[in-house]
Amino acid sequence: MELFLSTLINGLSLGGIYAMIALGYTMVYGIAKMLNFAHGDIIMVGGYTIYVFMATKSPLLAILMSVIFCVILGIVIEKVAYKPLRGASPLAVLITAIGVSYLLQSLAQIIFGSANKMVNVYNFGAIKIFGVTTQVSALVTLGVTVIVMAVLTMFIKYTRLGRAMIAVSEDKGAAQLMGINVNGIITVTFAIGSALAALAGLFYLLKAPSISSTLGAMPGIKAFTAAVIGGIGSIPGAMLGGILLGLVECISYKITIIAPYTDAIEFSILIIILLVRPTGFLGKKRREKV
């Protein structure tokens, strides 16, 4: 029973991190119709920003500066790398995103070196839940993820800017004719996604206080997998896919026989779901206009 509860809590916590990253992927895809594969590296940038500002001995300042810097970086990337490619082929955008990803990793190596850096943000300690010792940071991660998803859902449904995002995601041309600033909406979407990436970087450091230039590479890929499993373009789908992937990963690691094949199992689930339900669990089919 204790092992089950421990695995469940850790799985939900890890799933919360994947969900936080997947929310950024799914928002950008849902509105801009592009896959920003540099999104995972913004997590790394957020982590290094926390590392730099922890010299002030103020975790709150470090976290705030991480979010601000990642938001600015996301806007700059969108303006410089992606905006000139509006109307270009999806392949051109994809190659650009991969190029931006490697650029960020290379810059991080030049500035901070290739060795891992230790970052102790804050020690929340541990508590016992039904006799199971649980890190409070894991509960904080899950709680914040749920709150962020709820706030984003309400923001998109009930605010003017959110409704404009829905309009742009449905039909950019019609939205522009109705007076909506499409480029502005896409920029805001990148800003929100980058802020979520900064939070994901924080939660990773709370889980494992070590950072390198490749910190966001594998989590970014797994979060993209989670977004596709849940239904890319769907905010609840990103949450569902992230939690599912986190649980699968933690359960697999606890089973000695299959532990070495955990990544393969996760990506196999993606393939199976795409074969059975190509739009993901909560994704919607879209009619292509000719």
Side-chain angles (χ1 to χ4, degrees):
M1 184 63 178
E2 289 185 7
L3 179 61
F4 170 77
L5 283 175
S6 175
T7 304
L8 177 63
I9 293 170
N10 289 332
L12 290 174
S13 172
L14 181 60
I17 297 175
Y18 288 153
M20 187 73 73
I21 309 169
L23 284 170
Y25 270 116
T26 206
M27 286 189 68
V28 169
Y29 180 81
I31 293 170
K33 296 297 180 292
M34 63 160 289
L35 297 174
N36 179 22
F37 279 113
H39 186 66
D41 296 288
I42 295 180
I43 301 168
M44 173 268 297
V45 172
Y48 273 120
T49 306
I50 291 175
Y51 168 73
V52 170
F53 281 92
M54 278 305 292
T56 64
K57 305 298 182 182
S58 173
L60 288 178
L61 176 63
I63 294 167
L64 179 63
M65 292 307 298
S66 173
V67 172
I68 292 173
F69 189 78
C70 285
V71 166
I72 293 172
L73 178 63
I75 292 172
V76 169
I77 289 173
E78 192 276 326
K79 293 290 186 185
V80 174
Y82 299 140
K83 188 177 179 181
L85 295 176
R86 296 272 201 274
S89 69
L91 181 60
V93 179
L94 179 63
I95 292 171
T96 301
I98 294 171
V100 172
S101 172
Y102 282 115
L103 173 63
L104 292 176
Q105 289 183 29
S106 299
L107 288 174
Q109 281 193 348
I110 292 170
I111 297 170
F112 298 101
S114 58
N116 285 18
K117 307 291 185 184
M118 298 304 296
V119 189
N120 293 310
V121 182
Y122 189 78
N123 184 10
F124 285 99
I127 59 173
K128 282 196 172 184
I129 300 177
F130 300 110
V132 179
T133 302
T134 304
Q135 294 297 317
V136 175
S137 59
L139 301 177
V140 170
T141 298
L142 183 59
V144 171
T145 305
V146 172
I147 292 170
V148 167
M149 192 205 75
V151 169
L152 270 178
T153 302
M154 293 178 66
F155 169 77
I156 288 174
K157 281 188 176 181
Y158 301 113
T159 68
R160 186 173 181 178
L161 183 58
R163 289 194 292 270
M165 286 180 171
I166 295 174
V168 173
S169 70
E170 292 292 334
D171 192 320
K172 286 188 181 68
Q176 197 161 20
L177 290 174
M178 295 298 292
I180 295 173
N181 183 350
V182 173
N183 287 330
I185 292 297
I186 292 174
T187 300
V188 170
T189 304
F190 268 85
I192 294 173
S194 298
L196 295 176
L199 290 177
L202 166 66
F203 294 143
Y204 254 104
L205 292 179
L206 289 175
K207 189 177 182 67
S210 174
I211 184 171
S212 70
S213 60
T214 57
L215 171 70
M218 184 54 75
I221 294 173
K222 289 186 178 180
F224 171 69
T225 301
V228 174
I229 288 173
I232 195 161
S234 167
I235 289 176
M239 184 72 177
L240 175 64
I243 295 297
L244 175 63
L245 211 64
L247 287 171
V248 168
E249 184 168 324
C250 284
I251 291 170
S252 297
Y253 275 130
K254 291 295 181 181
I255 303 174
T256 308
I257 299 175
I258 64 173
Y261 311 105
T262 299
D263 289 345
I265 291 170
E266 291 175 290
F267 295 125
S268 295
I269 291 173
L270 170 65
I271 294 171
I272 292 168
I273 289 176
L274 286 176
L275 289 172
V276 176
R277 187 176 173 82
T279 57
F281 286 122
L282 301 180
K284 296 179 181 178
K285 288 184 179 180
R286 292 179 179 271
R287 292 183 179 180
E288 295 294 332
K289 295 183 178 181
V290 181

